[in-house]
Amino acid sequence: MSPDDFAPLRPHFEGLTSDDEQTRLEASYAILAGLEDKSAETCHKVLERLLKGLASGRKSARIGFSVTLTELLIRLFGPDGANGSQNDLGFPRVMELLHTHTQVTGNVPGQEERDHYLGRLFGLQAILAATVVRYHQNSKAQWKQLLDAIFELARKKSWLREECGWIVYKTLQDSQGSPWGKDLAEVAIDRICASQVARTPEGVAIWLAARSLHPDLLLPEQPWRHQDPLYVKNSTALAQVMRESSSGSGSQGDREDLKLQPKGMWSSRPNFAWTVILKELYAISSKKKRLSFGSFWQEVVDGLLCQCHFTLQGYPADSLPENLFSASASQERKHWGFMLLAIAVQETPRELILAAFSRNLVRCLINQLRDGERYLHRTALKCLKVMQARVERDPETAYEFVFGLTGACGSPLFDGLTKTKTVSTLVATANDVALQRITSMFDRIIQQPLSNETKLTEWHRRALADHLVSAVRSHKLEGSNSWVISVLTLFAKYAYLKPKDSQFEPIPPLSSTSRDMFKAKLSACFAHLMTVKTSFHMNWPFKIIHYLKSEEESGRFDMFMDLDSGIEKVRKSAWKKINRLNKMEKSVDERKVAYLRALKLLYSLVMIQLYNGESDALSVLMDLSVLCDNMQGKNDEGDHNATEVLVELLLGLVSKPSALLRKLAQQVFGALTSELTHSGLQLLFDVLNSKESLAGQQELFEQNPGSDEESEVNNGATMEGNSDASSNGSDSDDVMVDVQEGKQDKTKEDEHGSESDDDHSDDSKTDSEDNVSDTNEEDDEIAKFNAALAGIVGTRQYDQNMTNEDGSSDDDEEDMDDEQMFALDDQMAKIFKERKKITSKKQQNKDAKSNMIDFKNKVLDLLEIYIKKEYSNPLSLALPLPLLTLVRSTTSKQIASRACNLIRDLTQKCKGKETTLLQDPGAAWKLLRDVHGEATKDASRAHATACSQSSLMIVKVLVNSDRGNIKDVVTIYGETQTKWLLGKCRVQPLLFSDFINWSTSFSKQS
């Protein structure tokens, strides 16, 4: 060989070691291209260089050299192997060279020995691939020699056994559909039996591949009965093989082939044979003589059936096969189990998923998840992430995973025990079909819990109810979702009904705490559903009322709450009117449909409040009955307009600390805005104009100020949303929505922008004055209390001089004896009692102020709805003046800011042709003068800005009605400005500057 032939190729061998795949491929192509028209000696030199490079541990040398070697051998062997024989580079010579260059001789380091054996394996793989591609009549003999070398390497080095098996398995898979594939499979089966590798995980994988690819292949009778590792009677041996167990269980025949050297180290990745078996089981689950997926998992992976079998056969406990999820299993085996679970979760057909869950598995999962320091915590988390990914890909599988984690094998408290949100996430990702099945499954668990312990059962029921509420809140609802009806009826059944037949009673029976919990969950669902704008969002409560009525009439259930005859009469009358409203929806015009639906919604929810035992529900139902009679002309009470009655009812609802009732009032109010009269709006204005004090609360709610007891009761009956919402009670679903809405309101105000420094200084001044006043009052009360004590005891107060006028000390005064001390007891008791009343009174005043502010906030919510829908209504002109008065009179900065924002929203909507219609010009002129009069009562910039905006809105309405009104408008502004210039009033200059700016724009348009 000429040195010049090999020299050009030498630099490219360095490229084969690169970690970059593209660089390796370019180097491989350059070497193969350089061999064209080269001598046999050059080819021999290149072949030897490639075989030597297989044993190199540099970078990615082994991969680059093996790929190039495979391509070179395909060319050398040729279609019939003639080229290689002519060049003395045929199959025997290549095998000899491979053995020579990968032979370990002498005392070499362990890493070098490892590199040589890996090089031999890569070389055998390259030769096998070349012989498969260049099939000829001698191929079977060559395959036999190759497989013997591969399996000899597997027996000699146990850590290479899986890689050796994978090479043969992959070659069988790649030969699918080829004419020589059956011959290769026949040789592979023959050699694994001869090499005693058949009873290894790799042997099982190769056996199943050959059997699956070539069903007509003749297989030996041994070592697997019925020529099938998955035959039911092979399950015990298969379990031992797949777990690579060294226990003494099993017969001698089962163990006779297991003479291989055990693996020297543990692999964190399960053998590839597990995946092969699982895929095979997915397709054969219906065949009786073969293991099903469930049987395989329980016996081979979980070990439940296997343990029972060996126990019955009388094997001692220490000889039982150790399954992957037993309490005594090693961390390594449990790791394998979790990895197999992740594999099964990804690909198992939906109908087989539940078979993978067992008590052992879920127990191990919970134990590893509940503590972040556990050895397998991350592995367990990976399983949960794989479940969630599978459900995202196939939402219908959510039922199987939820059932597996919370059903008989798991715990309804899975999320709480593991400190994760796995079940909640799965439920939130499920589709409608899965949610329907999940709801039915939860119903069964609630009916017959997994535990008979009362307290634990309550926890289980609460956890399941929480998951269902989470599902309602997290899903996008469209139309009448059947699963939502199922959730609501489940809550209603356990909240309000009791079965007549005791055998259908939940075991253990529902406690009052559980029933109250289900009521709260139902209210929480209603509170959310009413915010979801669908064609069905007003019918949910009616469906539940109808369900309760149907179940009661069916004779299977009774109402849990006993109703007296008077309440029962009102309930029946209410039900008739609800049905009548439901029928009227179909016969009235489109304008009235929304109003009737809102009235039906109100009726239905008040009926549910009656079932909840609310004291005011009965009176509200009676008022609604009068309202419906007025609508149908049955009553001639002209003094009480139906709309006014409805507004009064809505105000009563929003005065309660319930997010559900608040949303209900908003829904109904939004439907009747077009029907509102000035008297109806005045009821809202009365609330805004009321004092933010105990006296204002008593006046508004018609309380008796002389009765402290009644005052406390009513104080608790009005809004306590702020204090209630901060409680951490378990049944606070309904109230927590109020807290979230409060945050949203605050965010909404921030979006509108902050007020000027003058506003802050004015508000701070007001707050400071209030605080000083409260402090002074408290000091006065303390002084009076000390004086009363001093008068009884006969001593000076603490802040007086401790000496007499003549300088003498009080130490000379005689001390009181016991009789005198006892005589003071009654008098001191009276003093402290009066002191307690004073403290209680102060707390009442504080609570009353908070309640009134909260009430005004909710009324502003209603006015915001009115402005959005009826800004062009002539009645909207009545809104600015009460809002301006509220801005000036309120002690709450937040209320003032919201009122200003509403005025701004109203004025922004009244632009161009969208201005409010004018019906009564005289009332509009009076309103304009009243607004200017209001502008003179407060010097704050926020109030002045709102007055200016309101004034300009009224001006636009007047001018759009008649452009000649501009003269009178200028006159009114001139009068106000004259008073300001003469010092007769305080007005912010922006009132006039804004008018001038508008005048400039108006003149240009003219």
Side-chain angles (χ1 to χ4, degrees):
M1 177 186 70
S2 172
D4 295 334
D5 290 340
F6 186 72
L9 303 177
R10 184 175 285 108
H12 298 301
F13 286 96
E14 181 65 25
L16 295 179
T17 66
S18 174
D19 289 329
D20 180 62
E21 181 179 7
Q22 186 61 33
T23 303
R24 294 197 304 269
L25 291 176
E26 291 175 356
S28 177
Y29 177 79
I31 292 173
L32 294 173
L35 286 176
E36 294 181 2
D37 302 328
K38 292 294 190 294
S39 63
E41 189 175 359
T42 303
C43 292
H44 189 279
K45 183 69 173 178
V46 171
L47 177 61
E48 283 196 295
R49 181 69 183 85
L50 291 175
L51 291 173
K52 288 180 180 178
L54 294 176
S56 172
R58 290 181 57 203
K59 300 180 182 180
S60 300
R62 196 169 288 117
I63 299 175
F65 278 82
S66 63
V67 170
T68 309
L69 175 64
T70 302
E71 293 297 323
L72 177 60
L73 292 178
I74 291 174
R75 296 186 181 188
L76 288 178
F77 292 164
D80 55 0
N83 293 346
S85 300
Q86 293 176 359
N87 297 327
D88 195 25
L89 292 177
F91 177 82
R93 178 58 178 167
V94 172
M95 291 291 291
E96 180 184 352
L97 290 174
L98 175 64
H99 181 76
T100 300
H101 292 297
T102 59
Q103 180 67 30
V104 178
T105 57
N107 187 15
V108 298
Q111 183 58 45
E112 184 177 345
E113 180 184 11
R114 181 183 179 87
D115 289 338
H116 277 75
Y117 283 122
L118 284 172
R120 177 174 297 182
L121 180 60
F122 273 77
L124 292 172
Q125 181 181 11
I127 299 172
L128 179 61
T131 57
V132 168
V133 173
R134 297 304 187 185
Y135 175 78
H136 52 84
Q137 60 182 358
N138 296 325
S139 291
K140 291 185 68 174
Q142 294 176 357
W143 291 339
K144 180 178 179 181
Q145 185 177 350
L146 279 170
L147 294 182
D148 282 343
I150 291 174
F151 292 132
E152 180 185 359
L153 187 60
R155 292 175 59 84
K156 187 173 184 180
K157 295 297 177 183
S158 59
W159 51 271
L160 280 176
R161 187 188 307 156
E162 183 175 354
E163 286 72 15
C164 292
W166 170 252
I167 291 173
V168 178
Y169 170 80
K170 194 67 173 64
T171 305
L172 288 177
Q173 290 289 333
D174 294 339
S175 67
Q176 184 178 5
S178 61
W180 37 262
K182 185 177 180 180
D183 293 341
L184 179 60
E186 182 180 348
V187 173
I189 294 296
D190 177 65
R191 300 330 298 163
I192 64 172
C193 291
S195 304
Q196 296 184 348
V197 183
R199 281 185 176 248
T200 62
E202 299 77 20
V204 172
I206 295 171
W207 191 294
L208 291 177
R211 192 178 188 278
S212 175
L213 294 173
H214 309 285
D216 57 341
L217 183 66
L218 293 178
L219 297 170
E221 293 291 335
Q222 295 295 331
W224 297 108
R225 302 175 189 175
H226 212 268
Q227 298 89 41
D228 184 7
L230 299 181
Y231 182 57
V232 289
K233 293 186 177 180
N234 288 327
S235 59
T236 302
L238 180 64
Q240 185 180 357
V241 167
M242 294 307 299
R243 291 197 296 259
E244 302 182 28
S245 174
S246 59
S247 64
S249 60
S251 63
Q252 180 65 29
D254 291 338
R255 302 194 306 270
E256 62 183 358
D257 291 332
L258 296 177
K259 301 176 182 178
L260 298 176
Q261 180 182 355
K263 289 188 176 181
M265 62 179 181
W266 172 77
S267 174
S268 62
R269 178 178 51 84
N271 197 293
F272 77 94
W274 287 100
T275 304
V276 175
I277 294 176
L278 291 177
K279 289 182 178 180
E280 184 77 11
L281 290 171
Y282 300 155
I284 64 172
S285 58
S286 60
K287 296 184 179 180
K288 294 182 179 180
K289 292 186 178 180
R290 302 189 77 186
L291 284 171
S292 65
F293 174 81
S295 299
F296 171 82
W297 191 272
Q298 292 179 9
E299 185 161 356
V300 179
V301 179
D302 194 87
L304 292 178
L305 298 180
C306 191
Q307 284 190 356
C308 295
H309 169 74
F310 283 110
T311 302
L312 291 175
Q313 294 296 324
Y315 286 95
D318 56 356
S319 67
L320 297 182
E322 184 183 21
N323 64 73
L324 303 184
F325 291 116
S326 66
S328 60
S330 64
Q331 299 292 351
E332 290 78 12
R333 289 193 177 277
K334 290 178 180 178
H335 175 83
W336 272 8
F338 286 143
M339 296 300 292
L340 292 177
L341 177 64
I343 294 173
V345 163
Q346 291 180 10
E347 302 177 359
T348 303
R350 182 171 54 82
E351 60 274 10
L352 299 178
I353 291 176
L354 273 177
F357 287 89
S358 66
R359 291 181 183 274
N360 284 343
L361 186 150
V362 180
R363 185 197 69 247
C364 289
L365 201 59
I366 292 175
N367 290 339
Q368 297 297 331
L369 288 169
R370 68 194 313 169
D371 185 1
E373 300 298 323
R374 298 296 292 266
Y375 183 72
L376 299 178
H377 180 74
R378 291 186 178 180
T379 309
L381 278 178
K382 179 181 178 181
C383 293
L384 300 186
K385 292 179 180 179
V386 173
M387 292 181 195
Q388 294 171 10
R390 173 68 185 273
V391 174
E392 289 177 0
R393 190 172 72 250
D394 183 9
E396 196 168 343
T397 59
Y399 167 76
E400 280 71 23
F401 293 119
V402 173
F403 192 11
L405 297 176
T406 64
C409 296
S411 170
L413 302 175
F414 183 87
D415 278 4
L417 294 173
T418 60
K419 302 176 184 178
T420 64
K421 295 183 179 180
T422 305
V423 178
S424 297
T425 304
L426 295 176
V427 171
T429 316
N431 61 10
D432 290 359
V433 176
L435 285 169
Q436 184 68 55
R437 299 178 68 196
I438 289 172
T439 304
S440 300
M441 184 261 291
F442 283 0
D443 191 1
R444 294 193 298 271
I445 297 178
I446 292 172
Q447 183 74 19
Q448 293 185 337
L450 306 176
S451 171
N452 292 326
E453 185 181 345
T454 304
K455 194 64 177 178
L456 184 59
T457 297
E458 288 184 0
W459 292 345
H460 286 180
R461 288 168 174 166
R462 183 182 299 277
L464 298 178
D466 286 338
H467 291 318
L468 293 178
V469 173
S470 176
V472 172
R473 288 173 173 169
S474 60
H475 277 77
K476 183 179 180 181
L477 304 178
E478 297 178 357
S480 56
N481 302 68
S482 59
W483 70 269
V484 179
I485 292 293
S486 299
V487 171
L488 298 180
T489 54
L490 182 148
F491 289 155
K493 177 174 68 172
Y494 293 115
Y496 305 116
L497 298 176
K498 60 179 179 180
K500 289 185 176 181
D501 193 340
S502 59
Q503 66 177 344
F504 296 112
E505 277 277 358
I507 303 175
L510 288 169
S511 64
S512 59
T513 302
S514 294
R515 288 191 181 274
D516 291 341
M517 179 269 296
F518 283 118
K519 292 176 185 178
K521 301 304 178 185
L522 182 63
S523 296
C525 289
F526 283 147
H528 171 75
L529 291 172
M530 283 192 294
T531 64
V532 181
K533 301 299 181 182
T534 65
S535 59
F536 203 75
H537 73 285
M538 286 192 175
N539 278 334
W540 300 112
F542 173 75
K543 285 290 184 182
I544 297 308
I545 293 295
H546 186 272
Y547 163 78
L548 293 174
K549 183 69 173 175
S550 301
E551 291 294 339
E552 189 178 5
E553 291 177 347
S554 68
R556 294 178 297 177
F557 291 91
D558 285 330
M559 294 301 297
F560 180 77
M561 183 178 66
D562 294 329
L563 303 176
D564 59 34
S565 58
I567 298 178
E568 182 63 26
K569 183 179 179 180
V570 174
R571 184 174 76 110
K572 289 181 178 179
S573 174
W575 173 248
K576 291 179 181 179
K577 287 182 169 57
I578 293 175
N579 269 333
R580 190 179 300 130
L581 290 172
N582 190 48
K583 294 176 182 178
M584 288 174 62
E585 286 185 32
K586 304 175 183 177
S587 58
V588 299
D589 56 42
E590 191 65 28
R591 292 187 305 107
K592 293 288 185 179
V593 170
Y595 181 72
L596 290 176
R597 285 179 179 173
L599 196 57
K600 184 179 70 173
L601 172 66
L602 179 58
Y603 238 130
S604 302
L605 276 178
V606 173
M607 183 81 81
I608 291 177
Q609 293 297 308
L610 178 67
Y611 293 151
N612 287 339
E614 296 289 339
S615 58
D616 297 340
L618 185 62
S619 61
V620 174
L621 283 177
M622 297 174 69
D623 291 339
L624 284 173
S625 178
V626 174
L627 178 63
C628 289
D629 291 340
N630 286 342
M631 289 177 56
Q632 297 174 1
K634 290 186 177 182
N635 291 339
D636 297 327
E637 300 178 5
D639 295 337
H640 230 43
N641 184 280
T643 306
E644 293 178 41
V645 175
L646 194 52
V647 172
E648 288 181 352
L649 291 177
L650 297 181
L651 288 175
L653 293 179
V654 298
S655 68
K656 300 181 183 299
S658 168
L660 172 60
L661 296 181
R662 181 182 183 182
K663 292 179 183 296
L664 168 63
Q666 292 175 0
Q667 289 281 348
V668 177
F669 186 83
L672 63 89
T673 51
S674 60
E675 307 292 331
L676 276 180
T677 63
H678 186 275
S679 299
L681 286 175
Q682 187 60 45
L683 293 174
L684 303 179
F685 300 155
D686 291 342
V687 177
L688 299 181
N689 294 331
S690 59
K691 298 178 181 178
E692 296 168 359
S693 63
L694 180 59
Q697 177 178 274
Q698 292 170 342
E699 179 183 358
L700 187 63
F701 292 96
E702 298 179 354
Q703 298 173 359
N704 181 11
S707 173
D708 292 339
E709 182 178 353
E710 183 181 353
S711 177
E712 291 178 7
V713 172
N714 287 327
N715 193 36
T718 55
M719 296 78 54
E720 296 175 356
N722 294 336
S723 60
D724 290 346
S726 63
S727 65
N728 294 325
S730 57
D731 292 334
S732 59
D733 300 78
D734 193 17
V735 180
M736 285 304 293
V737 183
D738 264 337
V739 179
Q740 296 173 0
E741 289 179 351
K743 293 179 180 179
Q744 293 173 358
D745 291 342
K746 182 66 177 174
T747 304
K748 189 185 300 181
E749 293 160 17
D750 293 340
E751 291 173 355
H752 289 320
S754 60
E755 302 294 341
S756 65
D757 294 338
D758 293 339
D759 305 332
H760 289 293
S761 62
D762 292 335
D763 293 325
S764 299
K765 181 179 180 181
T766 301
D767 294 340
S768 177
E769 291 174 352
D770 291 341
N771 292 334
V772 171
S773 177
D774 293 342
T775 303
N776 292 336
E777 290 178 3
E778 184 176 356
D779 291 341
D780 292 341
E781 291 171 359
I782 293 175
K784 292 177 181 179
F785 175 70
N786 291 334
L789 283 179
I792 295 173
V793 180
T795 61
R796 289 181 175 83
Q797 298 182 42
Y798 181 77
D799 57 348
Q800 292 180 351
N801 293 329
M802 299 306 295
T803 59
N804 297 322
E805 295 179 358
D806 58 359
S808 62
S809 174
D810 290 337
D811 294 340
D812 297 335
E813 296 180 2
E814 295 183 359
D815 294 334
M816 289 184 293
D817 57 18
D818 292 343
E819 292 182 359
Q820 291 174 320
M821 292 291 290
F822 284 125
L824 295 178
D825 283 351
D826 293 339
Q827 298 181 48
M828 293 185 67
K830 292 179 181 179
I831 293 296
F832 282 104
K833 187 175 181 180
E834 291 298 325
R835 173 64 176 171
K836 185 175 181 181
K837 286 183 180 180
I838 294 173
T839 305
S840 176
K841 190 71 173 179
K842 289 175 59 179
Q843 185 62 39
Q844 288 180 23
N845 287 328
K846 183 178 180 181
D847 292 341
K849 179 179 179 180
S850 175
N851 292 339
M852 291 302 298
I853 291 175
D854 192 34
F855 195 12
K856 289 184 179 182
N857 253 320
K858 294 178 180 179
V859 172
L860 290 177
D861 289 337
L862 300 181
L863 290 178
E864 184 178 3
I865 296 172
Y866 186 84
I867 290 173
K868 287 180 180 179
K869 294 191 173 186
E870 301 294 331
Y871 61 88
S872 61
N873 192 316
L875 289 178
S876 64
L877 280 178
L879 296 177
L881 191 58
L883 291 174
L884 291 173
T885 304
L886 178 64
V887 173
R888 175 174 53 83
S889 61
T890 183
T891 59
S892 169
K893 178 182 174 182
Q894 189 246 355
I895 291 290
S897 177
R898 286 204 66 192
C900 290
N901 291 336
L902 289 181
I903 293 174
R904 185 189 60 195
D905 292 343
L906 178 61
T907 56
Q908 286 180 347
K909 291 181 180 294
C910 297
K911 290 183 178 180
K913 297 181 180 180
E914 298 295 328
T915 57
T916 303
L917 300 177
L918 181 63
Q919 284 185 343
D920 188 356
W925 287 111
K926 181 179 183 302
L927 180 62
L928 180 59
R929 292 184 182 276
D930 290 341
V931 169
H932 277 243
E934 181 67 31
T936 64
K937 297 179 181 179
D938 192 354
S940 71
R941 186 174 182 83
H943 181 264
T945 301
C947 288
S948 178
Q949 293 172 344
S950 302
S951 178
L952 287 177
M953 183 194 76
I954 301 170
V955 168
K956 292 175 185 177
V957 172
L958 289 169
V959 173
N960 285 342
S961 174
D962 184 358
R963 298 180 70 85
N965 289 334
I966 191 64
K967 296 181 181 179
D968 295 331
V969 169
V970 173
T971 300
I972 294 176
Y973 269 91
E975 293 174 356
T976 305
Q977 191 171 14
T978 300
K979 294 179 181 179
W980 173 59
L981 292 174
L982 295 176
K984 296 181 179 181
C985 65
R986 292 191 307 167
V987 180
Q988 289 281 351
L990 64 86
L991 178 70
F992 311 113
S993 61
D994 288 348
F995 178 69
I996 293 174
N997 292 334
W998 175 83
S999 301
T1000 303
S1001 175
F1002 177 78
S1003 63
K1004 291 180 179 179
Q1005 294 176 0
S1006 301

